[in-house]
Amino acid sequence: MVGKGREGQGVRSLVLLAVMVTIVVTGCSATPPSETRKPTSLPSTSPTPTPTPIPLCEQPAVLEALAGTDAELIAAVGGADAFREAVASGAQCLDLSDPNRHWVLVNKQRALVPLDFEPGDLAWPSIQNINGTPLRANAVAALEQLVAAALAEGVGEIGMLSGYRSYATQDSLYAWHVWDKGQERADLVSARPGHSEHQTGLTADLVPCFASGCLTIDDFGASAQGKWAAANAWRFGFITRYEAGRTEVTGYTPEPWHMRFVGVELAAAYHDGAFTTLEEFLGQSAAATY
């Protein structure tokens, strides 16, 4: 009887030990047996939609600036370099044919529109004005600053031989050149009526002046005044329109005296980009012939 009692106690001890081990193992498990591990969800891989860019000429700032000044429109476009790129890309709101804009492009391939255009804001510069001709108001202010700077920097005095010319005046001048040298040669030195930058009121033919008087346009390029103007006119919004070696683009022989006003912003970009023709600066075709 005693042996059977001890045997029963041994069995109960083994059962108790097995239960305790089960409890311990179950308690240490990371996941209770009654729970099922859920799969981890991955983040969405769908791309975020990219907003459709608004075309330049439909942007609110540009639309508003179209009614403002040239400088305001250039700023709204993103500056002179952005303006140049937009024009070269064909932005319709930046019209190169608008004669009221400082960036109007007039050459043998692009006539003024209308052909007999006359600026509405002509004024007379307070400088040596040989022929007594006017320019557009902004060009007058810029030219007066240029002349004052040349004097202040010790270069000497600069005068203007010719500024604005009407369609009729250009017609007579061109006819004289044809009579004097034939049409082929005339086309290299004089614009046909309706194709002249002088008719825009944005161009000045400059001459060097001294105490004894002013010399001719042919004397300008080699003079101290002409060399200074070639290097510094951009600071005041002017460019040398017909440079040496570019006849195949402009259609004209060199005219170092022919200064074209395009505004300070564009003139600075023209200078910084080392451009030598307005056609290339604006991304347009050469205009060597009519």
Side-chain angles (χ1 to χ4, degrees):
M1 293 293 292
V2 174
K4 290 182 179 180
R6 289 179 178 174
E7 183 180 347
Q9 288 180 357
V11 171
R12 286 196 296 273
S13 297
L14 289 173
V15 172
L16 180 60
L17 178 59
V19 172
M20 291 177 64
V21 169
T22 301
I23 292 174
V24 170
V25 171
T26 302
C28 293
S29 176
T31 304
S34 60
E35 294 184 10
T36 302
R37 186 183 300 273
K38 297 180 181 179
T40 303
S41 59
L42 298 175
S44 174
T45 58
S46 300
T48 302
T50 302
T52 302
I54 302 174
L56 176 72
C57 293
E58 296 177 16
Q59 294 176 11
V62 173
L63 291 173
E64 182 179 354
L66 283 170
T69 66
D70 290 1
E72 290 170 343
L73 182 52
I74 291 171
V77 169
D81 289 328
F83 172 90
R84 185 180 67 80
E85 293 174 3
V87 167
S89 299
Q92 295 298 310
C93 57
L94 306 177
D95 188 2
L96 295 180
S97 297
D98 185 348
N100 295 298
R101 294 294 190 182
H102 295 151
W103 55 73
V104 60
L105 182 60
V106 184
N107 56 32
K108 293 180 178 181
Q109 293 293 311
R110 301 177 66 99
L112 279 163
V113 181
L115 208 60
D116 61 350
F117 169 75
E118 181 176 345
D121 60 344
L122 293 174
W124 281 258
S126 298
I127 62 171
Q128 289 272 20
N129 190 348
I130 313 303
N131 288 341
T133 49
L135 292 171
R136 287 186 58 187
N138 285 350
V140 165
L143 182 58
E144 290 175 343
Q145 293 171 5
L146 182 152
V147 171
L151 282 170
E153 295 175 26
V155 176
E157 187 175 7
I158 295 174
M160 182 176 75
L161 175 67
S162 180
Y164 167 72
R165 296 183 200 140
S166 67
Y167 178 93
T169 299
Q170 189 65 34
D171 189 24
S172 298
L173 181 62
Y174 177 75
W176 181 87
H177 279 290
V178 172
W179 172 83
D180 180 61
K181 52 184 69 70
Q183 188 170 51
E184 183 177 354
R185 177 60 183 164
D187 281 337
L188 289 172
V189 298
S190 180
R192 297 179 186 181
H195 291 265
S196 173
E197 286 205 324
H198 282 279
Q199 194 178 330
T200 67
L202 298 171
T203 294
D205 287 344
L206 304 183
V207 294
C209 296
F210 304 92
S212 57
C214 297
L215 301 182
T216 70
I217 54 175
D218 292 323
D219 299 308
F220 188 70
S223 68
Q225 294 95 318
K227 293 176 181 178
W228 179 90
N232 293 279
W234 66 271
R235 293 161 45 194
F236 309 92
F238 289 92
I239 62 171
T240 303
R241 182 65 173 94
Y242 305 126
E243 295 201 30
R246 304 316 319 272
T247 302
E248 80 283 358
V249 176
T250 66
Y252 295 101
T253 53
E255 295 187 2
W257 60 83
H258 184 114
M259 292 290 169
R260 162 66 192 274
F261 183 73
V262 295
V264 173
E265 299 85 2
L266 295 185
Y270 189 95
H271 170 267
D272 293 346
F275 287 93
T276 53
T277 73
L278 191 55
E279 286 79 10
E280 291 169 325
F281 176 72
L282 296 173
Q284 304 302 302
S285 302
T289 60
Y290 289 98

